[in-house]
Amino acid sequence: MMSAVEFEPYRGELVAFCYRMLGSFHEAEDMVQETLLRAWKARDRYDPARASMRTWLYRIATNVCLTALEGRGRRPLPSGLGTPDHDPEAELTPATDIRWLQPFPDGRFDTESRADLRLAWIAATQLLPARQRAVLVLRDVLEFTAAEVAEQLDTTAAAVNSALQRARAALRDVDDAAAVGEPADPEVRAVVQRYMAAFEAADVPALVRLLAEDAVLEMPPVPLWYRGSRDYGRFMERVFRMRGQSWAVRGLTANGQPALAAYAPHPGGGHLLHTLQVLTVAGGRVTHNVVFADPGVLDTFGLPPHLPAG
């Protein structure tokens, strides 16, 4: 008889799939728990002659996610909600009524595909109807056949292919994945290292020199955002004026992108965790920085809340 242990090798990729569907790591973990529970209860009905265990589990996970998404709006980033702000002194009021897009902690799971975890791609797919989103991920990311996806969604291969064409057309303007540098790329690493050094020193001119001219800075759950190296720099001047100099940073990755944990200087000594920043690097410049300050998001990454002095 099938045991629950047989499901465990699929947990990581199922979490990544549910995250792509939901835009929330916390919800993705919950949906995978529900998927594995349903699979365990239905284990006597599983027929290996009809589908592999992986295909069967994805059918369950897809339906769990589609049910969870019924009647829900998308999870946005601030840049998807309105025009950029130009006032670096604007009030930083969190919008707690919005279910914001969350980052994916790469270190928690070993997933094969990283390009389709990038924040820009996840944010763009949130605009798709849920079933179109499922088709896109199942076909283009996970490479199931049209017939397999049709079986998973109780539809036809022709309907799957039609939905896939519409989804691809909707995402045509998303940043070219080939132009976005991987965290392990030497040029990307060099840019990120220089950015981290400038951030630790609160050196705004050095930060600005590393930015693309139209670089974007956004900070969910605060709904405002900035576009352009000038406004980006003016806002960073405010941050360092408010929180002090001599920061500490720790490098990591999120969503298959370079990231850093920023620690603000503490009057009592050492540094306190301030934000998680997910960077997009292209053409030797930082083109986008999504800054997460939600304590729940920070907990997901297992970051120490305090760094001692020295």
Side-chain angles (χ1 to χ4, degrees):
M1 179 179 289
M2 183 188 303
S3 72
V5 175
E6 294 179 64
F7 301 150
E8 284 304 311
Y10 302 98
R11 182 182 291 273
E13 62 175 285
L14 287 171
V15 170
F17 167 71
C18 292
Y19 170 76
R20 290 181 178 102
M21 289 292 295
L22 300 165
S24 162
F25 179 75
H26 293 129
E27 287 187 1
E29 286 195 306
D30 290 343
M31 294 304 101
V32 171
Q33 283 296 103
E34 176 65 20
T35 295
L36 299 184
L37 178 61
R38 291 190 188 186
W40 172 249
K41 290 179 177 179
R43 64 192 183 280
D44 292 338
R45 299 196 298 274
Y46 168 62
D47 182 0
R50 290 191 58 192
S52 69
M53 183 181 294
R54 181 173 182 264
T55 300
W56 180 64
L57 287 172
Y58 270 101
R59 175 173 184 148
I60 299 171
T62 300
N63 284 288
V64 166
C65 289
L66 290 175
T67 299
L69 287 167
E70 287 178 0
R72 284 193 192 178
R74 65 189 177 99
R75 281 185 174 269
L77 290 172
S79 57
L81 294 179
T83 57
D85 202 284
H86 298 286
D87 178 9
E89 303 297 328
E91 188 171 353
L92 304 179
T93 304
T96 56
D97 58 327
I98 297 176
R99 297 166 64 254
W100 295 102
L101 187 67
Q102 296 178 352
F104 187 90
D106 292 350
R108 295 279 295 273
F109 294 99
D110 182 20
T111 60
E112 291 185 6
S113 176
R114 296 291 188 190
D116 296 307
L117 280 173
R118 290 198 176 106
L119 280 171
W121 195 87
I122 298 294
T125 61
Q126 288 283 303
L127 295 170
L128 299 174
R131 286 177 68 87
Q132 262 188 47
R133 195 182 314 163
V135 167
L136 181 72
V137 176
L138 291 168
R139 288 284 285 118
D140 278 2
V141 179
L142 299 168
E143 299 182 341
F144 284 107
T145 67
E148 288 172 322
V149 176
E151 175 73 15
Q152 289 161 333
L153 292 173
D154 290 321
T155 187
T156 64
V160 165
N161 289 331
S162 176
L164 181 61
Q165 288 180 350
R166 292 196 299 274
R168 286 173 175 169
L171 266 65
R172 195 168 289 142
D173 294 331
V174 178
D175 292 342
D176 181 9
V180 176
E182 296 288 338
D185 181 276
E187 183 182 38
V188 172
R189 286 205 309 268
V191 171
V192 173
Q193 288 296 322
R194 291 198 296 272
Y195 190 96
M196 291 169 63
F199 199 99
E200 285 189 322
D203 186 341
V204 173
L207 285 175
V208 171
R209 285 195 295 271
L210 293 166
L211 300 176
E213 186 176 346
D214 59 349
V216 169
L217 173 68
E218 50 189 329
M219 301 153 284
V222 175
L224 60 81
W225 61 287
Y226 299 95
R227 181 188 294 278
S229 57
R230 176 176 176 273
D231 286 343
Y232 192 126
R234 292 170 67 212
F235 182 80
M236 292 310 304
E237 289 173 351
R238 174 191 181 182
V239 170
F240 295 138
R241 185 175 69 247
M242 291 173 58
R243 299 306 300 265
Q245 314 290 309
S246 301
W247 288 58
V249 300
R250 295 292 182 270
L252 65 157
T253 66
N255 294 79
Q257 299 173 229
L260 62 92
Y263 288 80
H266 186 257
H271 295 80
L272 292 180
L273 181 60
H274 183 257
T275 52
L276 171 78
Q277 306 184 25
V278 184
L279 304 174
T280 302
V281 179
R285 293 287 185 273
V286 173
T287 62
H288 204 143
N289 185 4
V290 185
V291 180
F292 295 94
D294 184 337
V297 168
L298 301 180
D299 287 346
T300 298
F301 284 76
L303 297 166
H306 177 261
L307 296 179

